[in-house]
Amino acid sequence: MLRVAEVKNPDTLSTPGAAIASYAAIGDSFTEGVGDPGADGTYVGWADRLAVMLADHRPDGELRYANLAVRGRLLDRIVAEQVPRAVELAPDLVTFCAGGNDILRPGTDPDDVAQRFEAAVAALTRASGTVLVATGFDTRGVPVLRHLRGKIATYNAHLRAVADRYGCPVLDLWSLRSVQDRRAWSEDRLHLSADGHRRVALRAARVLGVTVSGDPDEPWPPQEFRTSADVRRDNIHWAREHLVPWIGRRLRGESSGDRVSAKRPDLLPVR
């Protein structure tokens, strides 16, 4: 089993990914995989894709994997529901991506959110081999979230400090240039597309020392020309289909994950 003390650089994991035999992912919609639908109707996402890469990297091809993430979850609920389960499973690897939904809320303090995040990291590192921490995305190209860029950057600085203190490798999503392209995002503009999730999985695999053939920052092909009328029509469709329902849920105090449970609550073999 990997040990935190073995990590030399919090941005990369020196121990080869082949040493990871079990993996638990915790978080919200990002880790659940929203925006990357599978053939059976469930979401795939970067964590599922990473699990396959880790299994392929192992000499025996065997990896046990759990995904505890649920869309819409705030940090406190993730800490109350998912962190204890991850501690109970005690896998070789935990990926911990949380706090983003808190940062989106008006009036939340990134300093306070980071303090609660650190308490969870402390619990996870005591039980797990390695805890990979993910930063937030750079939202400069997301109209709805552009005004939160400074708040997200502050939170990211705290996450890196936490990673330094606990020897955690860092999945730096802020610097992932490829997700600045609109094609990295799904139709709702809040969740990654299938290709966006794939690129994050490739970046995570590299951080964990797994050799992968793909490049997470591979340039996108040239885009088709879009007129101003095309852009305006897309914006109207997006507002009607996604923005208005999202605002409605917020006003009603509802969450997209109110009736959703973890898609993979146990450590099961990856096929």
Side-chain angles (χ1 to χ4, degrees), residues 203-218:
R203 169 65 70 88
R206 287 188 172 187
V207 170
L208 294 170
V210 175
T211 302
V212 290
S213 57
D215 179 3
D217 264 322
E218 178 185 359

Side-chain angles (χ1 to χ4, degrees), residues 104 139 142-151:
L104 296 181
T139 58
V142 185
V144 180
L145 304 177
R146 187 183 296 126
H147 69 288
L148 295 173
R149 191 178 184 222
K151 193 175 178 181

Side-chain angles (χ1 to χ4, degrees), residues 244-266:
V244 172
W246 180 73
I247 293 174
R249 287 195 301 270
R250 293 287 297 274
L251 293 175
R252 294 189 299 271
E254 297 176 356
S255 168
S256 57
D258 282 346
R259 288 168 290 279
V260 179
S261 56
K263 64 180 180 180
R264 196 179 176 96
D266 301 306

Side-chain angles (χ1 to χ4, degrees), residues 149-231:
R149 191 178 184 222
K151 193 175 178 181
I152 295 169
T154 299
Y155 186 55
N156 283 351
H158 281 300
L159 297 185
R160 280 195 165 277
V162 171
D164 283 344
R165 285 193 286 273
Y166 291 88
C168 300
V170 177
L171 173 57
D172 184 3
L173 301 176
W174 183 276
S175 67
L176 186 58
R177 297 186 303 273
S178 62
V179 297
Q180 296 301 319
D181 190 286
R182 67 179 181 84
R183 288 167 290 184
W185 297 87
S186 66
E187 190 177 82
D188 69 6
R189 306 184 186 181
L190 292 173
H191 300 98
L192 292 175
S193 64
D195 204 30
H197 278 284
R198 181 183 67 83
R199 289 168 183 265
V200 169
L202 288 169
R203 169 65 70 88
R206 287 188 172 187
V207 170
L208 294 170
V210 175
T211 302
V212 290
S213 57
D215 179 3
D217 264 322
E218 178 185 359
W220 294 83
Q223 296 192 56
E224 295 182 3
F225 175 75
R226 300 172 74 233
T227 66
S228 58
D230 292 333
V231 174

Side-chain angles (χ1 to χ4, degrees), residues 17-21 48-64 202 205 210-213 270-271:
I20 300 171
D48 288 19
R49 293 171 181 272
L50 173 62
V52 173
M53 294 176 188
L54 292 172
D56 288 344
H57 195 64
R58 286 183 54 76
D60 57 8
E62 296 182 3
L63 177 86
R64 294 181 302 130
L202 288 169
V210 175
T211 302
V212 290
S213 57
V270 171
R271 302 188 184 279

